[in-house]
Amino acid sequence: MSRVRSGAAVAVWGCLLGALWLSGCVEPGATPPPEDLASSRAAEGFSRQGTVMAGRNHTLTLRADGTVWAWGGNTFGQLGDGTTTAKSSPTRIRGPLGMSAIGVGELHSLALKADGTVWTWGDNTRGQLGDGTTTRRAWPQRVPGLTNVVRIAGGFSHSLALKADGTVWAWGLNATGQLGDGTTSQRLAPTQVQGLINVVAIAAGNAHSLALTADGAVWTWGGNADGQLGTGDTLNRSLPVAVAGLTGVTALSGGGSHSVVLKSDGTVWAWGQNTYGQLGDGTTGQRLTPTQVPGLWDVEAVVGGGQHSVALRVDGSVWTWGNNQRGQLGDGSLTQRLAPMRVTGVSLVKGVTAGGGQHTVVVKADGTVLAWGSNADGQVGDGTTFQAFVPTRTAGWRQRTDVSTGDAHTVVVKADGTVWAWGENYLGQLGAAGRPGRATPGQVPGLSEVLAVASGRDHTVALTLEGSVWTWGGTFEGPGGPAARDGLRTPTRITSLSNVVMVGAGMHHSVALKDDGTVWAWSINPLWFPGAPPSSFVLAPTQVSGLTGVIAVSGGGYNFFALKADGTLWAWGTNPHGNIGDGTLDDAALPVRVLGLTEVMDFSSGLTHSAALKADGTVWTWGENSDGQLGDGTQVNRLSPVQVQGLTEGIRLSAGFADSFVLKSNGTVESWGFNGSGQLGDGTFVTRSVPAPLTGFTGTVSLSAGLHHVAAVKGDGSVWTWGLNQSGQLGTGTFVDSASPVRVW
């Protein structure tokens, strides 16, 4: 059974009204802007945080619908999609909807929800996620106890939050005093920055922090080896200090080891490291106090990257200067620039960001995202890893192709948001009218903008980008026998569900996770609802009591599973073989904790066995083991998790009928368990109780195990299947079983 399942520059964003000010714009070097334009900018207050942010090697963007998308490097889970696999095109993070702002550090990410809560994910070596631990997270988790936040910022390995009351809170690395609490002690949870009130904006550099107060003054603290604090010296500060002589500031940004600010008159001022000309003053000399960037007027937003800077003018044009070793200035060359130069071919821009790892990203007024510079990890987002010397359009807003398998059918959601299915259809599993199945892919009608799918025994659940849930297939049966021995032939929306971020499917049951962390479950067959007595019919989504703070869900053979933000796994349902993992054989009508498991990143449940993947890449299994599906070298059932020996570097897993599969960080797959139909994919039909690799099968990004067949997707979007094929579930146009992967498309 299956389920569905980003250095430290901080961008400051331009006003969407910029295009309306076109008549008042002037070229750099011309007369300064008229007073009415300056007044308009001052009335605006300060530039809003925008819709795209760049880290060292990853990029985040916030869409108008409140969803966050990410691409680029993902070694520490900074893309928030539940994996540690790099993505060269946008993929939606796994987590809450309704986000209002985003932030990035070197290898971690932040998001601010409209309700004032902060969510973080990625690297946590220095406590930069603020959850009280140093455990990395591959998807967003709420920062405990932090509320009423209005702005966020990420530094190299620290994070900042501005609350509605004007106070600033910080956590993470503090070796140079960048947390502003008067110490150099690392903090794993938010601590208040001392001596600051009436703050209206915040920013962070590699090892320093900045704040803007309502009177237009700038305060800095932290590392100062290159003069990035603007205090006239190179002494670190563990408490905020005002930058002398700097007034009328409306926006600010921390670069790698330099700082840049925007004044209400549209001028830009900078200080700190200048080795690469990132201060834009025509020299490479260090500046210990603010210096105006000459020849640059009418600026609406400015941002400092690792070693370069970017400015957005009110006419929508973009200007860059500084280091250009990776083409991050976008002028088609690798030539360092000591003064601002306009990026040609780019206009009507509403937001800019500069990465700490030498790339630049902009958002146009129509929502188009353009990027250029370093692209080794796919941070440009154009579907490649080729360096971009000029502005390049980011790929479409879709996740990569993904797959889910039922008993005898296979469902794929393509990168364009359409859904395709093949195999058995006697109960409408393919979402199409009529009973005949098919042995080749066919599109499921009436569905678009689909983000993910999950298949049970003979039904499928789909989740759309807007958070709605659709379902089809299945057998409806009441306590007195068949009430309607048929299923839904076409996708039907569950109108009572909205704001859903994840779905799962089991034997005859389904589960949905809402963006508020609540779990909702239902069954298409009331006789098979896990944990419920025969007299209890749950035909409509019902909230699971006692579960909050959940970040992922799954429906197994006869179970439900839920992963909480603290890394613990919870289960409920029938438990004949210990498949719940609580150390007993007792059924559970309410969620119970799976014993001994912490730092869980992924999980899956087969018919009567279960598996979990921990943050360290190890795999743990429990339940029935008659076919060696637990992978511990025995056929002994386990009532609580045991480690699969010799298996590390796992990033995703899937449990089938009596077999198990793990996708490793290098794109290879290992499998074990029952192999009567060749479902282990190793070219044999030999059952085994220890993991072994699928020789020669590489580049895998996702996989799903069904009853006796498996489907996988490679990084190039190709779909592969193997195992039983009596109903055409392999999608190859034949009904011949295959003990090795065969390509569908």
Side-chain angles (χ1 to χ4, degrees), residues 241-336:
V241 59
V243 180
L246 194 59
T247 60
V249 174
T250 59
L252 72 174
S253 176
S257 294
H258 71 291
S259 302
V260 289
V261 301
L262 173 66
K263 286 192 174 187
S264 59
D265 62 1
T267 61
V268 175
W269 297 67
W271 61 93
Q273 188 187 73
N274 197 27
T275 307
Y276 299 94
Q278 57 262 56
L279 301 188
D281 65 355
T283 77
T284 56
Q286 181 186 63
R287 303 292 183 179
L288 303 183
T289 57
T291 301
Q292 184 177 350
V293 178
L296 195 59
W297 304 95
D298 287 342
V299 174
E300 178 58 30
V302 64
V303 59
Q307 297 167 340
H308 74 294
S309 302
V310 184
L312 170 64
R313 293 185 58 214
V314 294
D315 63 356
S317 63
V318 177
W319 300 72
T320 59
W321 61 96
N323 192 2
N324 199 24
Q325 290 178 339
R326 294 292 182 270
Q328 60 263 47
L329 301 188
D331 63 356
S333 78
L334 297 177
T335 303
Q336 177 176 289

Side-chain angles (χ1 to χ4, degrees), residues 688-705:
R688 58 170 178 264
S689 60
V690 292
L694 276 67
T695 304
F697 194 70
T698 60
T700 311
V701 295
S702 67
L703 76 165
S704 175

Side-chain angles (χ1 to χ4, degrees), residues 7-14 46-55 58-61 101-105 110 151-155 201-205 210 250-256 260 262 300-306 308-312 349-356 359-363:
V10 177
V12 185
W13 298 94
F46 47 85
S47 299
R48 295 170 291 173
Q49 283 182 299
T51 54
V52 67
M53 303 287 280
H58 74 293
T59 308
L60 259 63
T61 190
I102 51 177
V104 295
L110 308 89
R151 285 181 174 255
I152 52 176
I202 52 176
L210 306 91
T250 59
L252 72 174
S253 176
V260 289
L262 173 66
E300 178 58 30
V302 64
V303 59
H308 74 294
S309 302
V310 184
L312 170 64
V349 170
K350 71 175 183 180
V352 294
T353 185
H359 75 293
T360 304
V361 190
V362 303
V363 180

Side-chain angles (χ1 to χ4, degrees), residues 367-433:
T368 301
V369 178
L370 302 173
W372 57 90
S374 179
N375 195 30
D377 295 286
Q379 56 264 52
V380 168
D382 64 345
T384 78
T385 55
F386 299 119
Q387 186 168 310
F389 298 97
V390 294
T392 303
R393 184 167 181 165
T394 294
W397 303 110
R398 298 284 184 264
Q399 70 166 32
R400 65 179 186 276
T401 300
D402 214 346
V403 65
S404 184
T405 51
D407 268 20
H409 73 290
T410 304
V411 185
V412 168
V413 54
K414 282 190 172 183
D416 63 1
T418 60
V419 179
W420 298 70
W422 58 89
E424 202 167 70
N425 194 42
Y426 75 99
L427 292 174
Q429 294 98 312
L430 305 188

Side-chain angles (χ1 to χ4, degrees), residues 647-673:
L647 188 58
T648 59
E649 299 181 355
I651 58 173
R652 293 189 72 174
L653 50 76
S654 183
F657 171 75
D659 42 59
S660 305
F661 299 81
V662 169
L663 169 60
K664 301 184 71 173
S665 59
N666 61 4
T668 62
V669 177
E670 297 203 15
S671 61
W672 62 93

Side-chain angles (χ1 to χ4, degrees), residues 547-600:
L547 272 183
T548 58
V550 174
I551 58 175
V553 292
S554 171
Y558 300 105
N559 306 98
F560 290 109
F561 284 85
L563 176 62
K564 288 191 175 185
D566 62 3
T568 60
L569 189 62
W570 298 70
W572 63 103
T574 57
N575 195 29
H577 301 280
N579 36 294
I580 285 181
D582 66 344
T584 76
L585 293 174
D586 300 331
D587 295 346
L590 294 174
V592 296
R593 181 173 172 178
V594 178
L595 293 179
L597 284 183
T598 58
E599 300 182 7
V600 175

